[in-house]
Amino acid sequence: MSNIRFISFEGIDGSGKTTHVKSFCNYLINRGIDVISSREPGGTPLGEDVRSFALKQYADKSKKTELFLFEACRAELFKQVIAPALQQGKMVVVDRFCDSTLAYQGYGNGNNLDTVKFVDDFATDGLKPDLTFYLDIDPQKALERRAGRAVVDNIEERGLEYQMRVRQGYLNILRDNPNRVVLIDANQSIDAVDKSIISEFLQRYKD
Ligand code: Z5A
C-alpha cells in the first residue's frame, strides 16, 4: 500500500486548481494508479445542491451558516465518496478540502479557528489529506485570470482584500503543517506548475 493515498489541491479562486487536478490525475492514470477525483463544494448529489446555497448571495447570511453549508457538503463527500474509495485502495484527489474552510470561513470570515477545526473534524472523523498542494498566486494575478468569466459567485464578489486575507490564511496553514502542505508557485506557466507538482509528488511517493 502506498504512503500517499489522499491528496488535496488548495488555493485562492483562480489559482489553477481545476486545471492542475485534471492534469495531475491524467499523470497518475498514465502511471497505472487507480485514482478518483472530486471537488468541493459538491461531488455528491446533495453536495452539488448545497453548493448552490453556499455560493449564492443572501442578505445578511450568517458566517456560521456559511461554515455549516460547506461542512455539510464535506460530511457527505467524506461518507459517500472519499472513505469508500480509500477503503477500496484507490487514490483520491480532491479540488479543495479542510484547508479551504479554515482559510475562507476561518481566516477570511473571522470565525474562531479552533471552532472551524472542531466542526471540520466532526464532519470527516478527523481525516486529513496525506499531501496537500497549495497553489500560491498573487491575488491580483488570479483576479486577472478569472476576468471575463460569466458566473461570479458570492465569495468572488468579496474582492481583492478578502482574497488577500484568505491567501495569508493559507500561508499560516502551510507554516503550521510543514509535513503535509507543499507550496507550489502558481504564478508560473501551466507547464511549469504541472512539472513542479509532479516533482514534489515523486519526492514523497513510495509505491
Ligand atoms: N469555498 C469556501 O469558502 N469554503 C470551503 O470550505 C470550500 C469552498 C470547499 C467555489 O470553489 C468557492 O467555494 C470558492 C471558495 C469557496 N470561492 N470562490 N469563488 P471552487 O473551487 O469551485 O471555485 P474557485 O476556487 O473559484 O475555482 P476556479 O475559479 O475555477 O479557479 P481554479 O480552479 O483555482 O482555477 P482554474 O479554473 O484551473 O484556472 C482559472 C483560469 O486560469 C483558467 O482560464 C485557466 O486556464 C487559467 N490558468 C490556470 N493555470 C494557469 C497558469 N499557470 N497560467 C496561466 N493561466 C492559467
Side-chain angles (χ1 to χ4, degrees):
M1 186 80 69
S2 63
N3 61 331
I4 295 174
R5 297 173 54 229
F6 182 26
I7 299 174
S8 62
F9 279 68
E10 294 281 357
I12 62 170
D13 314 341
S15 54
K17 299 174 310 309
T18 310
T19 304
H20 294 292
V21 163
K22 205 168 161 195
S23 50
F24 182 62
C25 284
N26 283 338
Y27 163 80
L28 295 176
I29 290 164
N30 288 335
R31 252 190 94 123
I33 294 175
D34 190 5
V35 59
I36 64 145
S37 67
S38 193
R39 71 161 183 178
E40 284 205 15
T44 63
L46 187 152
E48 292 293 331
D49 284 348
V50 177
R51 176 186 172 94
S52 62
F53 300 132
L55 299 182
K56 189 172 154 190
Q57 174 70 45
Y58 294 91
D60 297 331
K61 179 168 68 179
S62 134
K63 292 175 178 178
K64 291 179 184 171
T65 304
E66 185 175 291
L67 168 66
F68 283 117
L69 287 172
F70 285 112
E71 290 295 352
C73 291
R74 182 158 311 131
E76 194 66 10
L77 188 72
F78 167 72
K79 179 157 190 299
Q80 306 293 352
V81 177
I82 298 176
L86 291 174
Q87 243 164 17
Q88 290 162 21
K90 294 180 198 289
M91 188 175 277
V92 176
V93 177
V94 284
D95 183 341
R96 297 193 179 281
F97 197 64
C98 53
D99 300 321
S100 284
T101 318
L102 197 56
Y104 284 81
Q105 281 64 53
Y107 288 103
N109 290 3
N111 282 303
N112 178 279
L113 300 180
D114 287 333
T115 305
V116 175
K117 289 180 196 168
F118 177 83
V119 175
D120 192 72
D121 280 348
F122 181 65
T124 63
D125 293 347
L127 180 77
K128 295 283 175 282
D130 301 313
L131 177 62
T132 296
F133 293 117
Y134 163 54
L135 305 189
D136 186 54
I137 188 169
D138 171 14
Q140 179 62 43
K141 192 164 187 170
L143 205 63
E144 285 159 18
R145 282 188 189 167
R146 291 188 349 261
R149 266 212 327 218
V151 182
V152 175
D153 65 49
N154 168 237
I155 291 175
E156 286 175 80
E157 279 171 358
R158 292 174 194 174
L160 189 60
E161 213 172 289
Y162 182 79
Q163 297 294 333
M164 288 166 72
R165 220 163 46 239
V166 172
R167 174 174 182 254
Q168 188 54 53
Y170 273 123
L171 292 172
N172 294 348
I173 293 168
L174 173 77
R175 178 201 62 206
D176 295 342
N177 298 273
N179 295 329
R180 171 174 67 84
V181 184
V182 175
L183 184 145
I184 302 289
D185 179 4
N187 298 291
Q188 311 171 86
S189 70
I190 291 182
D191 197 40
V193 174
D194 270 337
K195 287 197 172 106
S196 304
I197 291 168
I198 291 170
S199 157
E200 295 288 351
F201 173 71
L202 290 176
Q203 284 173 43
R204 292 165 178 79
Y205 180 70
K206 292 187 191 65
D207 248 325

